[in-house]
Amino acid sequence: MVRIAAASFAGTSIEFYDFFVYGTAAALVLGPLFFPDFSPIAGTLAAFATYAVGFVSRPLGSVLFGRLGDRRGRRPVLVGSLLLTGIATVLVGLLPTYDRIGPAAPILLVLLRFCQGLGVGGEWGGAVLLAAEHAPPGRRALWGSFPQAGPAIGFLLANGIMLTLSGALSDAQFQSWGWRVPFLFAGVLAAGGLLLRASIEETPAFVELAAANGLSASPFTEVVRGHWRLILLVAGALTCGYVGFYLTTTWSLHYATDKLAVGRTTMLACIMVAVVGKAVATPLFALLGDRYGRKPLCVAGCAAMGLWAFPMLGLLATGEPVCMTLACLGTLIAFITMFSVVGTYLSELFEPRVRCTGASTAYNLGGVFGGALTPIVATELARGEGTPWSVAAYLAAAAVLSVACFTALPETRAVPAWEGQPATA
């Protein structure tokens, strides 16, 4: 289990490193480099729009890689998704800017971001099922939380490199070539991840299904027909988490540097401290999920995020590093209260024969609802002067929606032998 958890953890760390390094670059430099004819605010919005493309393509990646996972096994998903995301990220680092190739630059940027999203959309389901389907029944949430801790490490690595470069280079050097270094480093990480995953065994649940000729002929069709209500409920339930996470890790960076005149190095450091707290708390909340159930933690996390929304904005608007760190930490602790158990929860909600497609599609559709538009919407809401309390209202409204959706979902802690919920759930 340690070897399996390490492989799933490392894979999601690498995949989300690729995904997050783009978001940080979009907040800091991509606007003027790829959309120079726009005003500063319009250029940032355009960069965030290309950022959103990665979320839109994630459900498609779930369908493509989900079929592979439900028909051929979870292992091929882990290799294919990591390879696709790694190549796309390296190519972003090599991409000429607008002043070199004109409109082709933003077009290629969007295409590569789309490919990033495809890979990440497939990665999550394969990594979570690899850990959760190997885990003993009483510790499924704990072992299933390791892939959920991976994004935190990916974020720390991406922003740590950005922070180092930002502090070591002048603004001119950073905009000229420094921003490319984290994208190119993704190739090294992808190669290491592929080596680590080469010896991982297939999960027992899939082996049993294949031996019994129980594989689905068309997983996506079966999921849509039998689980459409479940998918929509899960996507709505996860919306709040995505809104809170990307407000904290992406939009706040732009808001602090642009509106509050906080140095990008300072704000990156504040966010990274909060993400460390989130990473440390992940297995602790997962243990609570094994003891008390998945649903109670999810509801508590959503409610906490909604209640913290206005204090978070107030603290962030002070521009003081300690207060901004506390603002980010509170949101991310509420976030991980629910997301520490989400991987296992979603796996238990779907039958093994369509589990990779169903869990991945629901998870990434929630990303479209909550993550894709959050930086764009928040940037628009914060256009005026003063503290943008409407951004806090946006997060609070998402929390209400998610609590309502979680209330309609069943508890799964007692689901035996990885049977999953019936198709009518």
Side-chain angles (χ1 to χ4, degrees), residues 107-155:
I107 292 172
L108 290 172
L109 184 67
V110 170
L111 177 62
L112 292 173
R113 179 60 175 172
F114 185 86
C115 292
Q116 267 194 333
L118 287 179
V120 172
E123 162 68 24
W124 183 86
V128 165
L129 296 191
L130 177 71
E133 287 187 343
H134 273 102
R139 286 291 180 262
R140 290 197 296 248
L142 175 62
W143 291 110
S145 73
F146 279 84
Q148 294 297 92
I153 303 305
F155 180 89

mmCIF file of all heavy atoms in Angstrom, residues 107-155:
data_model
loop_
_atom_site.group_PDB
_atom_site.id
_atom_site.type_symbol
_atom_site.label_atom_id
_atom_site.label_comp_id
_atom_site.label_asym_id
_atom_site.label_seq_id
_atom_site.Cartn_x
_atom_site.Cartn_y
_atom_site.Cartn_z
ATOM 1 N N ILE A 107 -3.342 31.189 -30.007
ATOM 2 C CA ILE A 107 -4.091 30.017 -30.492
ATOM 3 C C ILE A 107 -3.404 28.730 -30.040
ATOM 4 O O ILE A 107 -4.046 27.798 -29.530
ATOM 5 C CB ILE A 107 -4.211 30.059 -32.026
ATOM 6 C CG1 ILE A 107 -5.118 31.212 -32.456
ATOM 7 C CG2 ILE A 107 -4.758 28.733 -32.556
ATOM 8 C CD1 ILE A 107 -5.153 31.448 -33.950
ATOM 9 N N LEU A 108 -2.093 28.667 -30.202
ATOM 10 C CA LEU A 108 -1.349 27.484 -29.756
ATOM 11 C C LEU A 108 -1.373 27.345 -28.239
ATOM 12 O O LEU A 108 -1.414 26.230 -27.704
ATOM 13 C CB LEU A 108 0.095 27.569 -30.250
ATOM 14 C CG LEU A 108 0.295 27.404 -31.762
ATOM 15 C CD1 LEU A 108 1.745 27.696 -32.144
ATOM 16 C CD2 LEU A 108 -0.110 26.005 -32.203
ATOM 17 N N LEU A 109 -1.370 28.468 -27.537
ATOM 18 C CA LEU A 109 -1.457 28.445 -26.076
ATOM 19 C C LEU A 109 -2.764 27.792 -25.621
ATOM 20 O O LEU A 109 -2.782 26.950 -24.719
ATOM 21 C CB LEU A 109 -1.349 29.864 -25.520
ATOM 22 C CG LEU A 109 -1.320 30.013 -23.998
ATOM 23 C CD1 LEU A 109 -0.038 29.416 -23.431
ATOM 24 C CD2 LEU A 109 -1.454 31.484 -23.598
ATOM 25 N N VAL A 110 -3.846 28.169 -26.260
ATOM 26 C CA VAL A 110 -5.152 27.586 -25.933
ATOM 27 C C VAL A 110 -5.163 26.087 -26.228
ATOM 28 O O VAL A 110 -5.672 25.279 -25.439
ATOM 29 C CB VAL A 110 -6.273 28.297 -26.716
ATOM 30 C CG1 VAL A 110 -7.593 27.552 -26.583
ATOM 31 C CG2 VAL A 110 -6.430 29.734 -26.228
ATOM 32 N N LEU A 111 -4.590 25.693 -27.370
ATOM 33 C CA LEU A 111 -4.557 24.276 -27.741
ATOM 34 C C LEU A 111 -3.770 23.451 -26.725
ATOM 35 O O LEU A 111 -4.207 22.370 -26.308
ATOM 36 C CB LEU A 111 -3.938 24.128 -29.130
ATOM 37 C CG LEU A 111 -3.768 22.690 -29.648
ATOM 38 C CD1 LEU A 111 -5.127 22.009 -29.766
ATOM 39 C CD2 LEU A 111 -3.045 22.681 -30.996
ATOM 40 N N LEU A 112 -2.628 23.961 -26.310
ATOM 41 C CA LEU A 112 -1.817 23.227 -25.340
ATOM 42 C C LEU A 112 -2.490 23.175 -23.973
ATOM 43 O O LEU A 112 -2.407 22.165 -23.263
ATOM 44 C CB LEU A 112 -0.436 23.869 -25.224
ATOM 45 C CG LEU A 112 0.451 23.735 -26.474
ATOM 46 C CD1 LEU A 112 1.732 24.540 -26.315
ATOM 47 C CD2 LEU A 112 0.779 22.261 -26.744
ATOM 48 N N ARG A 113 -3.156 24.260 -23.595
ATOM 49 C CA ARG A 113 -3.910 24.246 -22.333
ATOM 50 C C ARG A 113 -5.039 23.222 -22.398
ATOM 51 O O ARG A 113 -5.322 22.528 -21.418
ATOM 52 C CB ARG A 113 -4.472 25.650 -22.056
ATOM 53 C CG ARG A 113 -5.301 25.763 -20.786
ATOM 54 C CD ARG A 113 -4.501 25.411 -19.549
ATOM 55 N NE ARG A 113 -5.265 25.645 -18.331
ATOM 56 C CZ ARG A 113 -4.880 25.299 -17.129
ATOM 57 N NH1 ARG A 113 -3.735 24.697 -16.948
ATOM 58 N NH2 ARG A 113 -5.635 25.555 -16.078
ATOM 59 N N PHE A 114 -5.670 23.097 -23.553
ATOM 60 C CA PHE A 114 -6.724 22.102 -23.751
ATOM 61 C C PHE A 114 -6.149 20.693 -23.535
ATOM 62 O O PHE A 114 -6.767 19.856 -22.867
ATOM 63 C CB PHE A 114 -7.294 22.237 -25.160
ATOM 64 C CG PHE A 114 -8.472 21.352 -25.441
ATOM 65 C CD1 PHE A 114 -9.764 21.760 -25.127
ATOM 66 C CD2 PHE A 114 -8.294 20.109 -26.038
ATOM 67 C CE1 PHE A 114 -10.854 20.942 -25.385
ATOM 68 C CE2 PHE A 114 -9.379 19.289 -26.299
ATOM 69 C CZ PHE A 114 -10.662 19.705 -25.980
ATOM 70 N N CYS A 115 -4.962 20.442 -24.082
ATOM 71 C CA CYS A 115 -4.332 19.134 -23.916
ATOM 72 C C CYS A 115 -3.951 18.877 -22.459
ATOM 73 O O CYS A 115 -4.066 17.751 -21.958
ATOM 74 C CB CYS A 115 -3.103 19.032 -24.803
ATOM 75 S SG CYS A 115 -3.464 18.988 -26.574
ATOM 76 N N GLN A 116 -3.495 19.917 -21.773
ATOM 77 C CA GLN A 116 -3.226 19.793 -20.333
ATOM 78 C C GLN A 116 -4.474 19.309 -19.599
ATOM 79 O O GLN A 116 -4.423 18.410 -18.761
ATOM 80 C CB GLN A 116 -2.813 21.140 -19.756
ATOM 81 C CG GLN A 116 -1.333 21.408 -19.699
ATOM 82 C CD GLN A 116 -1.034 22.610 -18.813
ATOM 83 O OE1 GLN A 116 -1.862 23.513 -18.635
ATOM 84 N NE2 GLN A 116 0.140 22.630 -18.231
ATOM 85 N N GLY A 117 -5.602 19.949 -19.891
ATOM 86 C CA GLY A 117 -6.851 19.587 -19.231
ATOM 87 C C GLY A 117 -7.267 18.158 -19.516
ATOM 88 O O GLY A 117 -7.775 17.459 -18.635
ATOM 89 N N LEU A 118 -7.064 17.709 -20.765
ATOM 90 C CA LEU A 118 -7.382 16.317 -21.103
ATOM 91 C C LEU A 118 -6.603 15.356 -20.200
ATOM 92 O O LEU A 118 -7.162 14.395 -19.668
ATOM 93 C CB LEU A 118 -7.036 16.035 -22.563
ATOM 94 C CG LEU A 118 -7.935 16.621 -23.656
ATOM 95 C CD1 LEU A 118 -7.391 16.241 -25.024
ATOM 96 C CD2 LEU A 118 -9.368 16.125 -23.516
ATOM 97 N N GLY A 119 -5.306 15.615 -20.057
ATOM 98 C CA GLY A 119 -4.479 14.732 -19.245
ATOM 99 C C GLY A 119 -4.856 14.742 -17.781
ATOM 100 O O GLY A 119 -4.963 13.688 -17.145
ATOM 101 N N VAL A 120 -5.078 15.929 -17.229
ATOM 102 C CA VAL A 120 -5.455 16.033 -15.814
ATOM 103 C C VAL A 120 -6.822 15.391 -15.574
ATOM 104 O O VAL A 120 -7.060 14.763 -14.534
ATOM 105 C CB VAL A 120 -5.446 17.502 -15.360
ATOM 106 C CG1 VAL A 120 -6.028 17.653 -13.963
ATOM 107 C CG2 VAL A 120 -4.026 18.045 -15.378
ATOM 108 N N GLY A 121 -7.731 15.537 -16.553
ATOM 109 C CA GLY A 121 -9.051 14.924 -16.431
ATOM 110 C C GLY A 121 -8.985 13.416 -16.315
ATOM 111 O O GLY A 121 -9.806 12.787 -15.645
ATOM 112 N N GLY A 122 -8.000 12.805 -16.963
ATOM 113 C CA GLY A 122 -7.847 11.363 -16.865
ATOM 114 C C GLY A 122 -7.042 10.927 -15.657
ATOM 115 O O GLY A 122 -7.297 9.878 -15.061
ATOM 116 N N GLU A 123 -6.078 11.743 -15.260
ATOM 117 C CA GLU A 123 -5.157 11.384 -14.175
ATOM 118 C C GLU A 123 -5.866 11.148 -12.854
ATOM 119 O O GLU A 123 -5.594 10.167 -12.159
ATOM 120 C CB GLU A 123 -4.112 12.491 -14.007
ATOM 121 C CG GLU A 123 -3.365 12.489 -12.682
ATOM 122 C CD GLU A 123 -2.443 11.304 -12.509
ATOM 123 O OE1 GLU A 123 -2.020 10.740 -13.540
ATOM 124 O OE2 GLU A 123 -2.141 10.945 -11.363
ATOM 125 N N TRP A 124 -6.768 12.050 -12.491
ATOM 126 C CA TRP A 124 -7.349 11.994 -11.158
ATOM 127 C C TRP A 124 -8.040 10.652 -10.901
ATOM 128 O O TRP A 124 -7.818 10.009 -9.876
ATOM 129 C CB TRP A 124 -8.340 13.139 -10.951
ATOM 130 C CG TRP A 124 -8.916 13.160 -9.573
ATOM 131 C CD1 TRP A 124 -8.390 13.754 -8.469
ATOM 132 C CD2 TRP A 124 -10.133 12.523 -9.136
ATOM 133 N NE1 TRP A 124 -9.195 13.534 -7.380
ATOM 134 C CE2 TRP A 124 -10.273 12.778 -7.761
ATOM 135 C CE3 TRP A 124 -11.105 11.773 -9.787
ATOM 136 C CZ2 TRP A 124 -11.346 12.311 -7.017
ATOM 137 C CZ3 TRP A 124 -12.179 11.295 -9.042
ATOM 138 C CH2 TRP A 124 -12.294 11.573 -7.676
ATOM 139 N N GLY A 125 -8.890 10.226 -11.849
ATOM 140 C CA GLY A 125 -9.626 8.985 -11.649
ATOM 141 C C GLY A 125 -8.704 7.785 -11.537
ATOM 142 O O GLY A 125 -8.881 6.928 -10.659
ATOM 143 N N GLY A 126 -7.696 7.700 -12.402
ATOM 144 C CA GLY A 126 -6.783 6.569 -12.343
ATOM 145 C C GLY A 126 -6.002 6.531 -11.046
ATOM 146 O O GLY A 126 -5.826 5.468 -10.436
ATOM 147 N N ALA A 127 -5.522 7.692 -10.586
ATOM 148 C CA ALA A 127 -4.715 7.744 -9.368
ATOM 149 C C ALA A 127 -5.541 7.405 -8.130
ATOM 150 O O ALA A 127 -5.096 6.664 -7.254
ATOM 151 C CB ALA A 127 -4.084 9.127 -9.224
ATOM 152 N N VAL A 128 -6.742 7.965 -8.050
ATOM 153 C CA VAL A 128 -7.596 7.707 -6.885
ATOM 154 C C VAL A 128 -7.997 6.238 -6.825
ATOM 155 O O VAL A 128 -7.949 5.598 -5.761
ATOM 156 C CB VAL A 128 -8.845 8.611 -6.927
ATOM 157 C CG1 VAL A 128 -9.900 8.117 -5.953
ATOM 158 C CG2 VAL A 128 -8.459 10.042 -6.598
ATOM 159 N N LEU A 129 -8.389 5.663 -7.967
ATOM 160 C CA LEU A 129 -8.798 4.258 -7.963
ATOM 161 C C LEU A 129 -7.619 3.342 -7.675
ATOM 162 O O LEU A 129 -7.789 2.293 -7.048
ATOM 163 C CB LEU A 129 -9.439 3.888 -9.298
ATOM 164 C CG LEU A 129 -10.749 4.612 -9.644
ATOM 165 C CD1 LEU A 129 -11.410 3.972 -10.847
ATOM 166 C CD2 LEU A 129 -11.714 4.608 -8.463
ATOM 167 N N LEU A 130 -6.442 3.692 -8.135
ATOM 168 C CA LEU A 130 -5.263 2.890 -7.846
ATOM 169 C C LEU A 130 -5.077 2.744 -6.338
ATOM 170 O O LEU A 130 -4.839 1.639 -5.834
ATOM 171 C CB LEU A 130 -4.018 3.546 -8.455
ATOM 172 C CG LEU A 130 -2.685 2.840 -8.168
ATOM 173 C CD1 LEU A 130 -2.605 1.526 -8.936
ATOM 174 C CD2 LEU A 130 -1.509 3.735 -8.521
ATOM 175 N N ALA A 131 -5.207 3.843 -5.603
ATOM 176 C CA ALA A 131 -5.025 3.802 -4.148
ATOM 177 C C ALA A 131 -6.242 3.215 -3.441
ATOM 178 O O ALA A 131 -6.100 2.331 -2.580
ATOM 179 C CB ALA A 131 -4.747 5.206 -3.623
ATOM 180 N N ALA A 132 -7.423 3.687 -3.810
ATOM 181 C CA ALA A 132 -8.621 3.300 -3.056
ATOM 182 C C ALA A 132 -9.032 1.854 -3.297
ATOM 183 O O ALA A 132 -9.496 1.178 -2.374
ATOM 184 C CB ALA A 132 -9.776 4.236 -3.433
ATOM 185 N N GLU A 133 -8.864 1.339 -4.504
ATOM 186 C CA GLU A 133 -9.280 -0.037 -4.781
ATOM 187 C C GLU A 133 -8.294 -1.061 -4.231
ATOM 188 O O GLU A 133 -8.623 -2.238 -4.109
ATOM 189 C CB GLU A 133 -9.459 -0.246 -6.289
ATOM 190 C CG GLU A 133 -10.703 0.442 -6.833
ATOM 191 C CD GLU A 133 -10.995 0.122 -8.278
ATOM 192 O OE1 GLU A 133 -10.098 -0.366 -8.998
ATOM 193 O OE2 GLU A 133 -12.137 0.359 -8.698
ATOM 194 N N HIS A 134 -7.092 -0.648 -3.902
ATOM 195 C CA HIS A 134 -6.141 -1.541 -3.236
ATOM 196 C C HIS A 134 -6.285 -1.497 -1.717
ATOM 197 O O HIS A 134 -5.777 -2.379 -1.019
ATOM 198 C CB HIS A 134 -4.699 -1.137 -3.587
ATOM 199 C CG HIS A 134 -4.178 -1.748 -4.849
ATOM 200 N ND1 HIS A 134 -4.106 -1.055 -6.033
ATOM 201 C CD2 HIS A 134 -3.707 -2.988 -5.132
ATOM 202 C CE1 HIS A 134 -3.604 -1.833 -6.973
ATOM 203 N NE2 HIS A 134 -3.347 -3.003 -6.455
ATOM 204 N N ALA A 135 -6.953 -0.475 -1.176
ATOM 205 C CA ALA A 135 -6.947 -0.227 0.263
ATOM 206 C C ALA A 135 -7.843 -1.202 1.026
ATOM 207 O O ALA A 135 -8.866 -1.659 0.503
ATOM 208 C CB ALA A 135 -7.408 1.205 0.538
ATOM 209 N N PRO A 136 -7.491 -1.516 2.281
ATOM 210 C CA PRO A 136 -8.379 -2.331 3.131
ATOM 211 C C PRO A 136 -9.642 -1.540 3.463
ATOM 212 O O PRO A 136 -9.614 -0.305 3.529
ATOM 213 C CB PRO A 136 -7.535 -2.594 4.373
ATOM 214 C CG PRO A 136 -6.530 -1.491 4.402
ATOM 215 C CD PRO A 136 -6.248 -1.156 2.981
ATOM 216 N N PRO A 137 -10.780 -2.214 3.689
ATOM 217 C CA PRO A 137 -12.069 -1.524 3.869
ATOM 218 C C PRO A 137 -12.074 -0.444 4.940
ATOM 219 O O PRO A 137 -12.647 0.618 4.745
ATOM 220 C CB PRO A 137 -13.019 -2.679 4.241
ATOM 221 C CG PRO A 137 -12.400 -3.883 3.626
ATOM 222 C CD PRO A 137 -10.914 -3.676 3.713
ATOM 223 N N GLY A 138 -11.429 -0.670 6.073
ATOM 224 C CA GLY A 138 -11.480 0.301 7.155
ATOM 225 C C GLY A 138 -10.578 1.506 6.988
ATOM 226 O O GLY A 138 -10.609 2.427 7.808
ATOM 227 N N ARG A 139 -9.776 1.509 5.921
ATOM 228 C CA ARG A 139 -8.835 2.613 5.707
ATOM 229 C C ARG A 139 -8.906 3.148 4.278
ATOM 230 O O ARG A 139 -7.944 3.690 3.763
ATOM 231 C CB ARG A 139 -7.408 2.150 6.030
ATOM 232 C CG ARG A 139 -7.121 2.009 7.513
ATOM 233 C CD ARG A 139 -7.091 3.394 8.179
ATOM 234 N NE ARG A 139 -6.825 3.329 9.612
ATOM 235 C CZ ARG A 139 -7.750 3.368 10.534
ATOM 236 N NH1 ARG A 139 -9.041 3.439 10.184
ATOM 237 N NH2 ARG A 139 -7.432 3.327 11.810
ATOM 238 N N ARG A 140 -10.057 3.015 3.646
ATOM 239 C CA ARG A 140 -10.170 3.466 2.246
ATOM 240 C C ARG A 140 -10.015 4.976 2.135
ATOM 241 O O ARG A 140 -9.387 5.474 1.202
ATOM 242 C CB ARG A 140 -11.519 3.035 1.660
ATOM 243 C CG ARG A 140 -11.631 1.532 1.443
ATOM 244 C CD ARG A 140 -12.754 1.180 0.504
ATOM 245 N NE ARG A 140 -14.057 1.525 1.001
ATOM 246 C CZ ARG A 140 -14.999 0.653 1.348
ATOM 247 N NH1 ARG A 140 -14.744 -0.645 1.285
ATOM 248 N NH2 ARG A 140 -16.180 1.050 1.756
ATOM 249 N N ALA A 141 -10.596 5.726 3.062
ATOM 250 C CA ALA A 141 -10.476 7.180 2.990
ATOM 251 C C ALA A 141 -9.036 7.629 3.209
ATOM 252 O O ALA A 141 -8.553 8.539 2.536
ATOM 253 C CB ALA A 141 -11.401 7.849 3.999
ATOM 254 N N LEU A 142 -8.342 6.976 4.146
ATOM 255 C CA LEU A 142 -6.957 7.353 4.422
ATOM 256 C C LEU A 142 -6.075 7.145 3.197
ATOM 257 O O LEU A 142 -5.386 8.062 2.749
ATOM 258 C CB LEU A 142 -6.410 6.546 5.603
ATOM 259 C CG LEU A 142 -4.919 6.767 5.895
ATOM 260 C CD1 LEU A 142 -4.646 8.215 6.269
ATOM 261 C CD2 LEU A 142 -4.447 5.815 6.998
ATOM 262 N N TRP A 143 -6.089 5.937 2.649
ATOM 263 C CA TRP A 143 -5.239 5.663 1.494
ATOM 264 C C TRP A 143 -5.719 6.430 0.260
ATOM 265 O O TRP A 143 -4.902 6.837 -0.572
ATOM 266 C CB TRP A 143 -5.192 4.162 1.210
ATOM 267 C CG TRP A 143 -4.448 3.401 2.271
ATOM 268 C CD1 TRP A 143 -4.984 2.541 3.181
ATOM 269 C CD2 TRP A 143 -3.050 3.449 2.544
ATOM 270 N NE1 TRP A 143 -4.005 2.041 4.016
ATOM 271 C CE2 TRP A 143 -2.801 2.581 3.642
ATOM 272 C CE3 TRP A 143 -1.981 4.143 1.986
ATOM 273 C CZ2 TRP A 143 -1.537 2.390 4.177
ATOM 274 C CZ3 TRP A 143 -0.709 3.945 2.511
ATOM 275 C CH2 TRP A 143 -0.491 3.087 3.595
ATOM 276 N N GLY A 144 -7.021 6.623 0.153
ATOM 277 C CA GLY A 144 -7.547 7.390 -0.971
ATOM 278 C C GLY A 144 -7.247 8.874 -0.876
ATOM 279 O O GLY A 144 -7.430 9.608 -1.858
ATOM 280 N N SER A 145 -6.750 9.322 0.286
ATOM 281 C CA SER A 145 -6.425 10.742 0.438
ATOM 282 C C SER A 145 -5.049 11.088 -0.118
ATOM 283 O O SER A 145 -4.745 12.262 -0.330
ATOM 284 C CB SER A 145 -6.487 11.151 1.915
ATOM 285 O OG SER A 145 -5.382 10.624 2.642
ATOM 286 N N PHE A 146 -4.202 10.090 -0.350
ATOM 287 C CA PHE A 146 -2.857 10.393 -0.844
ATOM 288 C C PHE A 146 -2.866 11.058 -2.214
ATOM 289 O O PHE A 146 -2.137 12.043 -2.427
ATOM 290 C CB PHE A 146 -2.003 9.123 -0.846
ATOM 291 C CG PHE A 146 -1.440 8.793 0.512
ATOM 292 C CD1 PHE A 146 -2.191 8.094 1.443
ATOM 293 C CD2 PHE A 146 -0.167 9.203 0.871
ATOM 294 C CE1 PHE A 146 -1.688 7.802 2.701
ATOM 295 C CE2 PHE A 146 0.351 8.920 2.125
ATOM 296 C CZ PHE A 146 -0.415 8.220 3.045
ATOM 297 N N PRO A 147 -3.681 10.585 -3.172
ATOM 298 C CA PRO A 147 -3.771 11.343 -4.424
ATOM 299 C C PRO A 147 -4.333 12.744 -4.211
ATOM 300 O O PRO A 147 -3.989 13.672 -4.950
ATOM 301 C CB PRO A 147 -4.723 10.496 -5.281
ATOM 302 C CG PRO A 147 -4.650 9.135 -4.712
ATOM 303 C CD PRO A 147 -4.424 9.321 -3.247
ATOM 304 N N GLN A 148 -5.174 12.921 -3.193
ATOM 305 C CA GLN A 148 -5.735 14.238 -2.918
ATOM 306 C C GLN A 148 -4.694 15.184 -2.315
ATOM 307 O O GLN A 148 -4.823 16.409 -2.415
ATOM 308 C CB GLN A 148 -6.928 14.115 -1.963
ATOM 309 C CG GLN A 148 -8.124 13.392 -2.550
ATOM 310 C CD GLN A 148 -8.702 14.130 -3.747
ATOM 311 O OE1 GLN A 148 -8.334 13.867 -4.887
ATOM 312 N NE2 GLN A 148 -9.610 15.049 -3.516
ATOM 313 N N ALA A 149 -3.672 14.622 -1.675
ATOM 314 C CA ALA A 149 -2.582 15.457 -1.159
ATOM 315 C C ALA A 149 -1.617 15.853 -2.263
ATOM 316 O O ALA A 149 -0.887 16.839 -2.141
ATOM 317 C CB ALA A 149 -1.829 14.712 -0.056
ATOM 318 N N GLY A 150 -1.620 15.097 -3.356
ATOM 319 C CA GLY A 150 -0.722 15.385 -4.469
ATOM 320 C C GLY A 150 -0.856 16.791 -5.040
ATOM 321 O O GLY A 150 0.164 17.456 -5.287
ATOM 322 N N PRO A 151 -2.093 17.289 -5.287
ATOM 323 C CA PRO A 151 -2.217 18.652 -5.807
ATOM 324 C C PRO A 151 -1.547 19.703 -4.932
ATOM 325 O O PRO A 151 -1.016 20.689 -5.452
ATOM 326 C CB PRO A 151 -3.736 18.854 -5.862
ATOM 327 C CG PRO A 151 -4.269 17.487 -6.113
ATOM 328 C CD PRO A 151 -3.379 16.570 -5.309
ATOM 329 N N ALA A 152 -1.571 19.521 -3.616
ATOM 330 C CA ALA A 152 -0.914 20.497 -2.729
ATOM 331 C C ALA A 152 0.591 20.519 -2.983
ATOM 332 O O ALA A 152 1.206 21.590 -3.060
ATOM 333 C CB ALA A 152 -1.192 20.153 -1.267
ATOM 334 N N ILE A 153 1.188 19.339 -3.145
ATOM 335 C CA ILE A 153 2.626 19.276 -3.407
ATOM 336 C C ILE A 153 2.931 19.833 -4.795
ATOM 337 O O ILE A 153 3.935 20.542 -4.984
ATOM 338 C CB ILE A 153 3.127 17.827 -3.280
ATOM 339 C CG1 ILE A 153 2.799 17.283 -1.879
ATOM 340 C CG2 ILE A 153 4.619 17.758 -3.552
ATOM 341 C CD1 ILE A 153 3.310 18.127 -0.738
ATOM 342 N N GLY A 154 2.067 19.533 -5.755
ATOM 343 C CA GLY A 154 2.251 20.100 -7.083
ATOM 344 C C GLY A 154 2.189 21.610 -7.061
ATOM 345 O O GLY A 154 2.985 22.293 -7.725
ATOM 346 N N PHE A 155 1.265 22.137 -6.282
ATOM 347 C CA PHE A 155 1.144 23.590 -6.165
ATOM 348 C C PHE A 155 2.382 24.189 -5.503
ATOM 349 O O PHE A 155 2.916 25.203 -5.954
ATOM 350 C CB PHE A 155 -0.102 23.949 -5.360
ATOM 351 C CG PHE A 155 -0.307 25.429 -5.198
ATOM 352 C CD1 PHE A 155 -1.020 26.137 -6.143
ATOM 353 C CD2 PHE A 155 0.226 26.112 -4.120
ATOM 354 C CE1 PHE A 155 -1.195 27.514 -6.011
ATOM 355 C CE2 PHE A 155 0.056 27.478 -3.975
ATOM 356 C CZ PHE A 155 -0.663 28.183 -4.938
#
